[in-house]
């Protein structure tokens, strides 16, 4: 199937909330990690979301170029070709974009999508994230309102964040403090500023103790009931059950029980990056250790081309990451729920 149209993406999100599951949103940094994600979704019979961060977009453009727009466009165009060979729907998304990178990342990509739509084409990406967590809430929502208008014109979904995700990702650092937990007041302010879909569709990354990075289960103190409180506060004012399509960031180390509880409160998208990075790299490390003499020209020897051919270890890396994507689909209950 092709990359999701705006209509298909909207149906994907609606089905997730209505049927109590969420889509893994897999960060990719290369054609290999993209292929691994596609394979994992297909094997799980799950539609899904593939996303690129600011750092990932720079890397995709080439380490000597470091242009986020170039890398993003290259990924989107490549994905359109290869995703067509898989029997699942895939939405393309850009991950965390702070204020100082909007002009070099999200805004130019929205302009590209606006031009594409004017030409009768689908937007380049299906959604973009504005990360205003480092801004005061008023400024965060003011920028979100401006971006939402542009996104709606480009037939793109916006993702906004209220509260702070702890830890660090691509240079965006969230302090570990009370801002890790969004409040009903934050949610009410968001609904007032952005509406509830009538001004443009958006996803909301509300925080409930989330932390980016690698943690053992139990280290991160999640409070999924924060999401329930947010939904209920806004529902009470506007009369709409579970008014927000919620996003779960920083989920490494979360228990399956916490993940499923968050889904029950309206989470339709969960970002997966740290775990799939490890799942991709671990088989490479195994290959290099086991094939040491073949990979390296030890003591003047010639090595073994079959061992150091990038395809040899690349295939195992992709298989490892695909397996972790399948597991994520099972955890989030999207497995077997692809659109027919």
């Amino acid at each position: 199937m092709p990359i999701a149209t705006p209509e298909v993406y909207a149906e994907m999100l609606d089905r997730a909330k209505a049927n109590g599951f969420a889509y893994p949103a897999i960060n990719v940094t290369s054609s290999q990690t993209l292929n691994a994600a596609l394979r994992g979704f297909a094997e799980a019979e799950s539609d899904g979301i593939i996303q690129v961060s600011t750092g990932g977009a720079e890397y995709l453009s080439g380490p000597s170029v470091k242009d986020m727009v170039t890398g993003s466009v290259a990924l989107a165009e490549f994905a359109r070709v290869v995703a067509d060979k898989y029997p699942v729907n895939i939405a393309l998304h850009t991950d965390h974009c702070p204020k100082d990178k909007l002009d070099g990342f999200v805004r130019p990509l929205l302009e590209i999508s606006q031009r594409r739509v004017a030409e009768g084409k689908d937007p380049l990406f299906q959604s973009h994230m504005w990360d205003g967590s480092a801004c005061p809430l008023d400024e965060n929502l003011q920028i979100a309102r401006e971006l939402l208008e542009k996104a709606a014109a480009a037939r793109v979904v916006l993702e906004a964040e209220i509260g702070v995700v702890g830890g660090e990702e691509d240079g965006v650092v969230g302090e570990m403090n009370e801002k890790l937990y969004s409040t009903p007041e934050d949610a009410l302010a968001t609904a007032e500023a952005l509406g509830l879909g009538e001004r443009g569709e958006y996803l909301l990354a509300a925080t409930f103790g989330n932390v980016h990075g690698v943690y053992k289960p139990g280290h991160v103190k999640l409070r999924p009931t924060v999401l329930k409180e947010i939904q209920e506060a806004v529902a009470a004012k506007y009369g709409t059950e579970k008014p927000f399509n919620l996003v779960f960031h920083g989920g490494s180390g979360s228990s399956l029980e916490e993940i499923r509880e968050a889904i029950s409160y309206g989470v339709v998208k969960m970002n997966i990056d740290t775990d799939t990075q490890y799942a991709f790299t671990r088989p490479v490390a195994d290959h290099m250790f086991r094939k040491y003499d073949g990979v390296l020209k030890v003591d003047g020897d010639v090595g073994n081309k079959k061992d150091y051919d990038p395809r040899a270890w690349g295939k195992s890396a992709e298989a490892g990451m695909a397996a972790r994507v399948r597991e994520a689909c099972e955890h989030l209950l999207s497995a077997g729920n692809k659109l027919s």
Side-chain angles (χ1 to χ4, degrees), residues 106-125 128 146-156:
V106 166
R107 286 191 175 114
L109 291 173
L110 282 172
E111 290 173 3
I112 291 172
S113 286
Q114 285 178 335
R115 291 196 296 270
R116 288 174 60 95
V117 168
E119 295 168 356
K121 301 176 182 178
D122 288 330
L124 186 67
F125 281 80
H128 295 290
E146 171 245 320
L147 292 172
L148 182 62
E149 182 178 354
K150 292 181 177 179
R155 305 185 72 202
V156 168

Side-chain angles (χ1 to χ4, degrees), residues 27 51-57 68-69 72 93-110 127-135 139-140 143-144 147 158-161 169-173 205 212 249 269 271:
N27 280 71
Q51 60 189 22
V52 59
S53 66
T54 55
M68 294 181 288
V69 173
S72 300
H93 175 80
T94 61
D95 202 6
H96 291 272
C97 181
K99 181 181 177 182
D100 65 341
K101 294 186 177 179
L102 281 172
D103 288 341
F105 192 40
V106 166
R107 286 191 175 114
L109 291 173
L110 282 172
S127 50
H128 295 290
M129 182 186 179
W130 149 237
D131 184 352
S133 60
C135 302
E139 182 184 11
N140 180 350
I143 294 173
L147 292 172
L158 183 71
E159 180 179 331
E161 182 171 11
E169 181 177 52
D170 278 347
V172 179
V173 179
H212 288 132
H249 287 251
K269 171 180 179 278
N271 288 13

Side-chain angles (χ1 to χ4, degrees), residues 187-236:
L188 287 165
T190 300
E192 183 176 352
L194 305 182
L196 291 174
E198 70 279 6
R199 301 176 206 171
E201 296 298 327
Y202 65 93
L203 303 166
L204 184 65
T207 56
F208 52 105
N210 325 54
V211 179
H212 288 132
V214 185
Y215 300 94
K216 293 181 179 180
H219 179 86
V220 178
K221 305 302 180 184
L222 291 178
R223 292 192 350 231
T225 52
V226 166
L227 302 180
K228 180 174 183 286
E229 293 163 4
I230 283 172
Q231 296 278 41
E232 289 178 346
V234 176

Side-chain angles (χ1 to χ4, degrees), residues 5-15:
T5 64
E7 293 81 8
V8 167
Y9 190 34
E11 185 177 356
M12 284 170 58
L13 298 175
D14 289 344
R15 286 183 73 250

Side-chain angles (χ1 to χ4, degrees), residues 4 47 65 121 127 141 148 172 178 242 251 271 306 311 322:
D47 300 318
V65 176
K121 301 176 182 178
S127 50
L141 294 177
L148 182 62
V172 179
E178 73 282 354
K242 293 181 185 176
N271 288 13
K306 291 183 179 180
R311 291 170 294 182

Side-chain angles (χ1 to χ4, degrees), residues 39-316:
R39 174 179 169 181
F41 283 126
E43 291 178 351
E45 297 188 340
S46 169
D47 300 318
I49 299 169
I50 288 175
Q51 60 189 22
V52 59
S53 66
T54 55
E58 280 191 348
Y59 185 80
L60 277 158
S61 74
S64 64
V65 176
K66 292 187 176 181
D67 184 84
M68 294 181 288
V69 173
T70 297
S72 300
V73 172
L75 172 73
E77 296 292 0
F78 181 77
R80 275 178 162 74
V81 176
V82 295
D84 196 47
K85 300 297 182 181
Y86 291 86
V88 290
N89 296 285
I90 299 295
L92 300 177
H93 175 80
T94 61
D95 202 6
H96 291 272
C97 181
K99 181 181 177 182
D100 65 341
K101 294 186 177 179
L102 281 172
D103 288 341
F105 192 40
V106 166
R107 286 191 175 114
L109 291 173
L110 282 172
E111 290 173 3
I112 291 172
S113 286
Q114 285 178 335
R115 291 196 296 270
R116 288 174 60 95
V117 168
E119 295 168 356
K121 301 176 182 178
D122 288 330
L124 186 67
F125 281 80
Q126 284 63 61
S127 50
H128 295 290
M129 182 186 179
W130 149 237
D131 184 352
S133 60
C135 302
L137 184 62
D138 287 349
E139 182 184 11
N140 180 350
L141 294 177
Q142 180 181 358
I143 294 173
R145 190 162 53 241
E146 171 245 320
L147 292 172
L148 182 62
E149 182 178 354
K150 292 181 177 179
R155 305 185 72 202
V156 168
V157 175
L158 183 71
E159 180 179 331
E161 182 171 11
I162 55 172
V164 174
V165 177
E168 185 272 337
E169 181 177 52
D170 278 347
V172 179
V173 179
E175 295 183 8
M176 308 283 278
N177 55 34
E178 73 282 354
K179 292 183 179 180
L180 293 179
Y181 303 94
S182 299
T183 67
E185 291 74 23
D186 296 337
L188 287 165
T190 300
E192 183 176 352
L194 305 182
L196 291 174
E198 70 279 6
R199 301 176 206 171
E201 296 298 327
Y202 65 93
L203 303 166
L204 184 65
T207 56
F208 52 105
N210 325 54
V211 179
H212 288 132
V214 185
Y215 300 94
K216 293 181 179 180
H219 179 86
V220 178
K221 305 302 180 184
L222 291 178
R223 292 192 350 231
T225 52
V226 166
L227 302 180
K228 180 174 183 286
E229 293 163 4
I230 283 172
Q231 296 278 41
E232 289 178 346
V234 176
K237 181 173 181 179
Y238 292 93
T240 303
E241 185 180 2
K242 293 181 185 176
F244 295 121
N245 285 334
L246 298 174
V247 181
F248 187 163
H249 287 251
S252 293
S254 303
S255 69
L256 185 57
E257 181 181 13
E258 290 168 329
I259 292 171
R260 297 276 175 85
E261 183 180 359
I263 291 172
S264 75
Y265 300 141
V267 165
V268 297
K269 171 180 179 278
M270 180 175 175
N271 288 13
I272 314 285
D273 187 16
T274 300
D275 293 346
T276 46
Q277 284 180 347
Y278 182 79
F280 184 86
T281 301
R282 179 63 179 80
V284 179
D286 178 71
H287 177 92
M288 298 303 172
F289 283 123
R290 287 191 301 104
K291 306 286 188 177
Y292 183 86
D293 290 348
V295 171
L296 299 179
K297 297 182 179 182
V298 180
D299 295 332
D301 203 347
V302 296
N304 185 338
K305 185 180 183 300
K306 291 183 179 180
D307 291 338
Y308 59 73
D309 183 335
R311 291 170 294 182
W313 49 264
K315 289 176 183 177
S316 60

